[in-house]
């Protein structure tokens, strides 16, 4: 029976597919760490109190990248180059979502609107990250090899999403509500297209690595397109709603270390 659990178990059991999976994940997390680090360094003076939280977000992402690298080393594997068509972060930037890397490389402060754009982008992408990690936590949270890593990353992603909700609501109260909703909608509609394209690319690479039949690949391709259709018809709206999280000030302290994995 083809299920999310059986699919990931197959990827986990094969060194080549596991190597590709961890390499893609590590690259995306490390890129997110760099982006958040630059944003923290360029926060406008009026939002200086936000800088430590953004830095914490970046430190968490860096940690996740190291965790995926550590999982590879535990298997005696080295990372591989990430295929461009699976580079979620790069493709989002190419679609104009979030803050451009050229802007982050410049040494001039960001504007408040830039920070709103960053938070809206993060709210959308962290929703996706939380859902993916919750799926892994449900099926592999007790796995002897990857369970601790899955639980730790999932916990961090929950905190990141809570932080985005709280900060965006603060900016909405300050008069940025319409800009936030407009940016959230644009980000969500772009993200679901990028996620579809990246999912198709990852499945194609995994299918070649694992020798999937044409029939199995066709079923997975159809499932990815069905998910996109659902999200395009209205599923994207879950990515743009805002509510005050139960866990307030989720990024108000230092990043939690992972000494057993890094």
């Amino acid at each position: 029976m083809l299920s999310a659990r059986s699919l990931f178990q197959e990827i986990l059991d094969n060194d080549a597919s596991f190597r590709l999976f961890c390499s893609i994940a590590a690259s995306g997390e490390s890129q997110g760490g760099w982006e958040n680090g630059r944003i923290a360094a360029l926060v406008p003076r009026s939002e200086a109190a936000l800088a430590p939280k953004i830095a914490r977000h970046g430190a968490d992402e860096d940690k996740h990248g190291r965790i995926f690298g550590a999982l590879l080393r535990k298997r005696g594997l080295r990372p591989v180059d990430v295929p461009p068509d699976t580079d979620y972060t790069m493709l989002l930037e190419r679609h104009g979502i979030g803050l451009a890397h050229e802007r982050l490389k410049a040494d001039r402060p960001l504007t408040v609107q830039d920070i709103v754009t960053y938070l809206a982008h993060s709210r959308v992408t962290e929703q996706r990250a939380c859902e993916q990690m919750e799926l892994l936590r449900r099926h592999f949270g007790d796995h002897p090899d990857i369970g601790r890593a899955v639980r730790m990353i999932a916990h961090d992603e929950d905190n990141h999403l809570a932080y985005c909700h709280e900060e965006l609501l603060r900016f909405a109260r300050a008069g940025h509500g319409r800009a936030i909703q407009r940016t959230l909608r644009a980000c969500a509609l772009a993200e679901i297209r990028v996620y579809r394209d990246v999912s198709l690319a990852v499945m194609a690479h995994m299918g070649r690595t694992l020798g999937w039949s044409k029939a199995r690949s066709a079923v997975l391709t159809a499932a990815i397109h069905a998910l996109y259709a659902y999200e395009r018809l209205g599923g994207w709206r879950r990515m743009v709603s805002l509510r005050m999280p139960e866990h307030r000030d989720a990024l108000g302290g230092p990043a939690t270390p992972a000494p057993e994995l890094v």
Side-chain angles (χ1 to χ4, degrees):
M1 179 180 178
L2 190 60
S3 65
R5 181 183 176 86
S6 64
L7 181 64
F8 190 77
Q9 187 67 59
E10 186 176 0
I11 292 170
L12 179 64
D13 289 344
N14 181 280
D15 280 351
S17 56
F18 184 70
R19 188 183 186 196
L20 178 59
F21 170 80
C22 287
S23 297
I24 292 171
S27 175
E29 296 286 358
S30 297
Q31 188 62 58
W34 177 83
E35 291 174 357
N36 280 278
R38 289 300 300 156
I39 292 167
L42 299 174
V43 165
R45 185 173 300 176
S46 63
E47 294 297 330
L50 193 56
K53 297 180 181 181
I54 300 174
R56 158 76 184 276
H57 190 176
D60 283 344
E61 303 288 1
D62 280 335
K63 179 183 70 179
H64 299 167
R66 295 195 305 275
I67 287 173
F68 283 112
L71 291 175
L72 284 175
R73 290 193 298 275
K74 286 175 67 176
R75 292 266 289 259
L77 303 172
R78 296 178 60 85
V80 295
D81 291 337
V82 174
D85 55 355
T86 68
D87 194 329
Y88 175 78
T89 303
M90 180 192 72
L91 291 171
L92 284 174
E93 184 192 7
R94 187 176 296 170
H95 281 74
I97 301 304
L99 300 178
H101 286 186
E102 288 303 314
R103 178 68 181 90
L104 296 180
K105 291 175 183 176
D107 287 325
R108 65 179 189 276
L110 299 171
T111 66
V112 170
Q113 184 55 52
D114 287 333
I115 298 300
V116 169
T117 297
Y118 149 72
L119 286 168
H121 167 247
S122 295
R123 186 264 176 271
V124 170
T125 56
E126 292 296 340
Q127 178 77 39
R128 181 74 71 186
C130 280
E131 291 170 356
Q132 291 180 318
M133 292 310 303
E134 177 55 33
L135 181 66
L136 288 178
R137 179 164 52 188
R138 185 163 64 248
H139 293 306
F140 294 95
D142 295 327
H143 192 279
D145 295 326
I146 67 168
R148 184 175 184 276
V150 165
R151 294 193 305 273
M152 178 175 291
I153 295 173
H155 174 74
D156 288 345
E157 300 296 4
D158 289 344
N159 283 342
H160 299 168
L161 184 58
Y163 144 80
C164 291
H165 276 274
E166 185 173 2
E167 295 301 331
L168 282 169
L169 286 170
R170 179 174 66 83
F171 276 106
R173 290 193 298 271
H176 298 275
R178 289 191 177 183
I180 289 170
Q181 286 301 317
R182 183 171 60 248
T183 307
L184 281 172
R185 186 179 191 277
C187 284
L189 292 175
E191 193 279 341
I192 64 173
R193 290 194 300 272
V194 169
Y195 183 72
R196 175 201 60 192
D197 294 345
V198 168
S199 297
L200 290 170
V202 170
M203 287 301 102
H205 286 284
M206 291 297 179
R208 288 191 291 272
T209 299
L210 295 167
W212 289 343
S213 66
K214 289 184 178 179
R216 188 176 196 191
S217 294
V219 168
L220 290 170
T221 296
I224 291 169
H225 282 296
L227 174 62
Y228 173 72
Y230 157 74
E231 294 193 324
R232 187 65 184 85
L233 288 171
W236 62 272
R237 296 182 187 280
R238 76 189 189 285
M239 296 180 162
V240 304
S241 62
L242 294 175
R243 63 184 183 281
M244 188 59 68
E246 293 182 10
H247 185 189
R248 304 285 291 273
D249 196 25
L251 297 187
T256 303
E260 297 173 23
L261 291 167
V262 297

